[in-house]
Amino acid sequence: MTLHRLIVSLLFFFTASAGAVCAAPITYTVAADGTGDYRLLQQAIDACPNYSEAGIIIRVKNGVYREKIVFPPAQSHITLIGENVDSV
């Protein structure tokens, strides 16, 4: 089981055990080379819906990201997952 699947499984388990309705998380992919949904992390964060109960997963592909990240208070349940610990 990959780390990504383990995290998603745990996210669903804890959401279900808290009595919330489980909905499929929204997933975005960020890639500096342009192969993902967005080139910048902040673009993906800005695209996240406010007060999402489903949870949001932003997968970050290998690359160098030099930017200041701001998480607005209305955007919650966001999880960032890097592709590789040595290359992101």
Side-chain angles (χ1 to χ4, degrees):
M1 179 177 278
T2 66
L3 179 61
H4 174 261
R5 289 185 182 180
L6 176 63
I7 291 172
V8 172
S9 297
L10 290 174
L11 176 67
F12 279 117
F13 173 75
F14 287 115
T15 303
S17 64
V21 176
C22 288
I26 300 167
T27 303
Y28 298 122
T29 302
V30 177
D33 62 3
T35 59
D37 300 316
Y38 300 97
R39 284 182 175 263
L40 302 174
L41 288 167
Q42 191 64 54
Q43 290 173 333
I45 293 167
D46 292 342
C48 296
N50 294 337
Y51 305 106
S52 174
E53 293 182 17
I56 300 159
I57 297 172
I58 299 176
R59 299 180 59 192
V60 184
K61 288 193 166 193
N62 293 339
V64 177
Y65 301 89
R66 298 178 196 268
E67 54 185 302
K68 181 179 178 180
I69 304 299
V70 177
F71 288 93
Q75 294 173 331
S76 57
H77 300 104
I78 298 175
T79 303
L80 299 174
I81 300 175
E83 186 174 33
N84 185 326
V85 70
D86 297 323
S87 302
V88 174

